[in-house]
Amino acid sequence: PFGNGVRSCIGRPLAWQESLIVLALLLQKFDLREHDPNYTLQIKQTLTIKPKNFYIHASLRDKSALNAMQNLSIESKPKNLSTPASSSSSGVSPSGQENGILVL
């Protein structure tokens, strides 16, 4: 839907960046498996091209694996950077509850 050539949409790089971030967040928090292991690719053409009748199952990852990933990301942060106390980059609010992923 972004077009090609000299008249292509200038928002394409931002859309790619946002889609990669969303994909990375989903892969961090969920284990994905296909619904039918014997599926063969069939193309469905509408405004975009997509697989026809392709379904996946998503299950929440183990909490211990998520905690290990969060601890790894916290340990890899430079020590000299300070973050405001009100912001939460780990996905956990100050009250200890996990924040959901906001997809617009």
Side-chain angles (χ1 to χ4, degrees), residues 27-65:
L27 292 176
Q28 280 181 347
K29 297 195 182 251
F30 294 95
D31 284 322
L32 303 176
R33 61 182 173 83
E34 54 192 347
H35 176 72
D36 181 11
N38 299 320
Y39 176 79
T40 55
L41 180 62
Q42 300 170 2
I43 302 295
K44 178 180 180 180
Q45 287 186 329
T46 55
L47 181 61
T48 59
I49 297 174
K50 50 190 161 189
K52 183 178 182 180
N53 297 325
F54 179 72
Y55 301 99
I56 59 171
H57 291 278
S59 57
L60 193 59
R61 285 187 181 240
D62 184 20
K63 284 284 191 185
S64 61

Side-chain angles (χ1 to χ4, degrees), residues 7-19:
R7 298 198 184 274
S8 65
C9 178
I10 62 172
R12 180 186 299 194
L14 178 62
W16 271 108
Q17 184 178 19
E18 288 179 341
S19 64

